[in-house]
Short mmCIF file of all heavy atoms in Angstrom, two decimals:
data_model
loop_
_atom_site.label_atom_id
_atom_site.label_comp_id
_atom_site.label_asym_id
_atom_site.label_seq_id
_atom_site.Cartn_x
_atom_site.Cartn_y
_atom_site.Cartn_z
N ASP H 106 35.03 18.97 -19.51
CA ASP H 106 33.81 18.60 -18.80
C ASP H 106 33.80 19.16 -17.38
O ASP H 106 34.86 19.45 -16.80
CB ASP H 106 33.68 17.07 -18.74
CG ASP H 106 33.37 16.47 -20.10
OD1 ASP H 106 32.89 17.21 -20.99
OD2 ASP H 106 33.62 15.26 -20.27
N TYR H 107 32.62 19.25 -16.82
CA TYR H 107 32.43 19.83 -15.49
C TYR H 107 33.23 19.08 -14.43
O TYR H 107 33.82 19.69 -13.53
CB TYR H 107 30.94 19.81 -15.14
CG TYR H 107 30.62 20.24 -13.73
CD1 TYR H 107 30.59 21.58 -13.37
CD2 TYR H 107 30.33 19.28 -12.75
CE1 TYR H 107 30.30 21.97 -12.08
CE2 TYR H 107 30.03 19.66 -11.45
CZ TYR H 107 30.02 21.00 -11.11
OH TYR H 107 29.74 21.39 -9.84
N SER H 108 33.27 17.76 -14.54
CA SER H 108 33.94 16.95 -13.50
C SER H 108 35.44 17.23 -13.42
O SER H 108 36.07 16.92 -12.40
CB SER H 108 33.70 15.47 -13.77
OG SER H 108 34.25 15.10 -15.02
N LYS H 109 36.02 17.82 -14.47
CA LYS H 109 37.46 18.06 -14.50
C LYS H 109 37.84 19.48 -14.07
O LYS H 109 39.02 19.83 -14.05
CB LYS H 109 38.00 17.79 -15.91
CG LYS H 109 37.81 16.35 -16.36
CD LYS H 109 38.29 16.14 -17.78
CE LYS H 109 38.05 14.70 -18.23
NZ LYS H 109 38.49 14.48 -19.64
N LEU H 110 36.82 20.28 -13.71
CA LEU H 110 37.08 21.65 -13.30
C LEU H 110 37.59 21.70 -11.86
O LEU H 110 37.41 20.76 -11.07
CB LEU H 110 35.81 22.49 -13.42
CG LEU H 110 35.19 22.63 -14.82
CD1 LEU H 110 33.94 23.49 -14.74
CD2 LEU H 110 36.19 23.22 -15.81
N SER H 111 38.19 22.82 -11.50
CA SER H 111 38.61 23.04 -10.12
C SER H 111 37.39 23.28 -9.24
O SER H 111 36.28 23.55 -9.74
CB SER H 111 39.54 24.25 -10.04
OG SER H 111 38.83 25.45 -10.34
N ASP H 112 37.58 23.20 -7.94
CA ASP H 112 36.47 23.42 -7.01
C ASP H 112 35.87 24.81 -7.18
O ASP H 112 34.66 24.98 -7.10
CB ASP H 112 36.95 23.23 -5.57
CG ASP H 112 37.29 21.79 -5.25
OD1 ASP H 112 36.88 20.90 -6.03
OD2 ASP H 112 37.96 21.54 -4.23
N VAL H 113 36.71 25.78 -7.40
CA VAL H 113 36.24 27.16 -7.56
C VAL H 113 35.39 27.28 -8.83
O VAL H 113 34.31 27.89 -8.83
CB VAL H 113 37.42 28.15 -7.60
CG1 VAL H 113 36.92 29.56 -7.94
CG2 VAL H 113 38.15 28.15 -6.28
N GLN H 114 35.87 26.70 -9.91
CA GLN H 114 35.12 26.76 -11.17
C GLN H 114 33.80 26.01 -11.06
O GLN H 114 32.77 26.46 -11.56
CB GLN H 114 35.99 26.19 -12.30
CG GLN H 114 37.19 27.03 -12.64
CD GLN H 114 38.16 26.32 -13.56
OE1 GLN H 114 38.29 25.07 -13.52
NE2 GLN H 114 38.88 27.08 -14.39
N GLN H 115 33.81 24.86 -10.40
CA GLN H 115 32.57 24.10 -10.21
C GLN H 115 31.58 24.89 -9.36
O GLN H 115 30.38 24.93 -9.67
CB GLN H 115 32.87 22.75 -9.55
CG GLN H 115 33.53 21.75 -10.47
CD GLN H 115 33.66 20.38 -9.82
OE1 GLN H 115 33.47 20.20 -8.62
NE2 GLN H 115 34.02 19.37 -10.63
N ALA H 116 32.08 25.54 -8.30
CA ALA H 116 31.19 26.32 -7.44
C ALA H 116 30.54 27.46 -8.22
O ALA H 116 29.36 27.78 -8.02
CB ALA H 116 31.98 26.86 -6.26
N GLU H 117 31.30 28.09 -9.12
CA GLU H 117 30.76 29.18 -9.93
C GLU H 117 29.61 28.68 -10.81
O GLU H 117 28.54 29.30 -10.88
CB GLU H 117 31.87 29.76 -10.81
CG GLU H 117 31.38 30.85 -11.77
CD GLU H 117 32.41 31.18 -12.83
OE1 GLU H 117 33.48 30.54 -12.86
OE2 GLU H 117 32.12 32.08 -13.66
N LEU H 118 29.82 27.55 -11.48
CA LEU H 118 28.79 27.01 -12.38
C LEU H 118 27.58 26.49 -11.60
O LEU H 118 26.45 26.61 -12.06
CB LEU H 118 29.38 25.92 -13.26
CG LEU H 118 30.46 26.36 -14.27
CD1 LEU H 118 30.85 25.21 -15.17
CD2 LEU H 118 29.98 27.55 -15.11
N LYS H 119 27.84 25.91 -10.44
CA LYS H 119 26.71 25.44 -9.61
C LYS H 119 25.83 26.59 -9.17
O LYS H 119 24.59 26.47 -9.12
CB LYS H 119 27.23 24.69 -8.38
CG LYS H 119 27.59 23.23 -8.64
CD LYS H 119 28.08 22.54 -7.38
CE LYS H 119 27.02 22.49 -6.31
NZ LYS H 119 27.48 21.77 -5.09
#
Side-chain angles (χ1 to χ4, degrees):
D106 290 340
Y107 174 79
S108 62
K109 298 177 182 178
L110 299 180
S111 68
D112 291 344
V113 173
Q114 292 169 329
Q115 287 186 349
E117 176 193 3
L118 294 186
K119 278 181 62 178

